C-alpha cells in the first residue's frame, strides 16, 4: 500500500512514517508543502493521503479541493490529519470530499496504520503493492575450454603395414633347377688336345 503524508513538520512526518513502515506492505511518501503533495500525488498516485491543514504555501482544504477536482486523483481517499479542529475547517473539508478528519493529538502513531487500511477498504480501491527491485540476471556466456599447457600434445602414430607371410609352394608348381650349360664350340676353332706323354 502506498501512503502519502503531507506535513510541514519533519519530526511529525518521521514519527508517522516509522509507525507505518512497521507493516512491510506499506510504502510511505512524504511532502513538506502543498505543492509537493500535489506533484507527488499526480506522479505516484498513492492509495491514501494524510493531509495537514496548515502548510507553508496553502492550507489543507485548498490541496484537497485541487485533488478532488482532478479526475485522475478524485477517487483517492484523503484524511485531514491536523491539530486544528475549528468547525468551519472540518465542515468545509468534509464537503469538499475528505474521507475523515483526524486530530493528531487523538491518534497514536501506530493507530495510523489501521486507519490507512480502513480508508482504503472503505474506498473500494485495490492497494498498490510495494515496489521491490528486481534481480538482474546477466546473460549466460559460453566458455570455451582452454587447452591444458601441462599436458603434452598427443602424437598420432600411423600403424605399420602388416607383412603378408610367404606361403610355401606346392611341389607340382616348383621350378626344377637348371642344369649347367656346357660351352658351345665356336666355328673354325680347333679343339684343344693335351700332348701325349713320351715313353
Amino acid at each position: 500500500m502506498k501512503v502519502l503524508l503531507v506535513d510541514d513538520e519533519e519530526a511529525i512526518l518521521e514519527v508517522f512514517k516509522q509507525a507505518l513502515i512497521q507493516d512491510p506492505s506499506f510504502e510511505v511518501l512524504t511532502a513538506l508543502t502543498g505543492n509537493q503533495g500535489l506533484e507527488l500525488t499526480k506522479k505516484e498516485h498513492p492509495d491514501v493521503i494524510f493531509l495537514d491543514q496548515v502548510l507553508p504555501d496553502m492550507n489543507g482544504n485548498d490541496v484537497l479541493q485541487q485533488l478532488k477536482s482532478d479526475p485522475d486523483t478524485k477517487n483517492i481517499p484523503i484524511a485531514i490529519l491536523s491539530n486544528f479542529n475549528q468547525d468551519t475547517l472540518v465542515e468545509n473539508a468534509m464537503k469538499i470530499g475528505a474521507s475523515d478528519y483526524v486530530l493528531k493529538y487523538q491518534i497514536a502513531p501506530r493507530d495510523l496504520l489501521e486507519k490507512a487500511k480502513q480508508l482504503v477498504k472503505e474506498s473500494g480501491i485495490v492497494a498498490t503493492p510495494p515496489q521491490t527491485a528486481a534481480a538482474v540476471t546477466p546473460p549466460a556466456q559460453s566458455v570455451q575450454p582452454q587447452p591444458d599447457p601441462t599436458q603434452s600434445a598427443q602424437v598420432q602414430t600411423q600403424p605399420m603395414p602388416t607383412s603378408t607371410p610367404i606361403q610355401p609352394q606346392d611341389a607340382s608348381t616348383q621350378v626344377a633347377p637348371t642344369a649347367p650349360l656346357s660351352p658351345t664350340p665356336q666355328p673354325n676353332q680347333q679343339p684343344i688336345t693335351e700332348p701325349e706323354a713320351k715313353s
Side-chain angles (χ1 to χ4, degrees):
M1 181 185 300
K2 189 179 293 187
V3 181
L4 173 61
L5 301 175
V6 185
D7 199 302
D8 61 334
E9 296 185 45
E10 294 186 23
I12 293 179
L13 282 178
E14 187 62 24
V15 170
F16 284 125
K17 178 180 178 179
Q18 292 301 319
L20 291 173
I21 62 176
Q22 296 302 312
D23 188 327
S25 67
F26 274 67
E27 179 183 354
V28 181
L29 308 171
T30 59
L32 293 171
T33 67
N35 282 322
Q36 288 180 3
L38 291 171
E39 292 175 1
L40 275 175
T41 301
K42 294 177 181 179
K43 180 181 178 181
E44 300 291 341
H45 205 81
D47 300 305
V48 62
I49 299 173
F50 290 100
L51 178 63
D52 190 15
Q53 189 63 265
V54 179
L55 298 168
D57 50 353
M58 62 182 78
N59 62 52
N61 282 353
D62 291 337
V63 177
L64 179 64
Q65 179 68 55
Q66 293 189 45
L67 293 175
K68 290 300 179 179
S69 300
D70 190 334
D72 293 333
T73 58
K74 67 179 183 179
N75 294 324
I76 300 175
I78 303 173
I80 299 296
L81 184 62
S82 176
N83 281 326
F84 294 90
N85 61 345
Q86 289 89 341
D87 293 342
T88 303
L89 288 175
V90 176
E91 182 179 352
N92 288 340
M94 300 307 293
K95 284 182 179 180
I96 295 171
S99 299
D100 202 350
Y101 201 106
V102 182
L103 298 177
K104 293 180 182 177
Y105 58 83
Q106 290 183 346
I107 187 170
R110 63 179 179 274
D111 295 333
L112 195 65
L113 188 149
E114 294 302 324
K115 173 62 70 173
K117 293 180 178 179
Q118 176 188 346
L119 293 175
V120 171
K121 183 178 180 180
E122 291 174 354
S123 69
I125 64 176
V126 179
T128 304
Q131 295 182 356
T132 55
V136 178
T137 304
Q141 297 181 354
S142 59
V143 179
Q144 297 296 331
Q146 298 296 326
D148 189 351
T150 61
Q151 295 182 354
S152 59
Q154 296 181 355
V155 180
Q156 296 184 351
T157 58
Q158 297 296 332
M160 296 297 292
T162 304
S163 59
T164 304
I166 300 175
Q167 300 295 333
Q169 295 183 348
D170 187 74
S172 60
T173 60
Q174 293 182 1
V175 180
T178 306
L181 299 178
S182 58
T184 303
Q186 297 296 325
N188 301 327
Q189 182 177 0
Q190 298 295 328
I192 301 174
T193 58
E194 294 182 358
E196 295 181 358
K198 295 183 180 182
S199 56

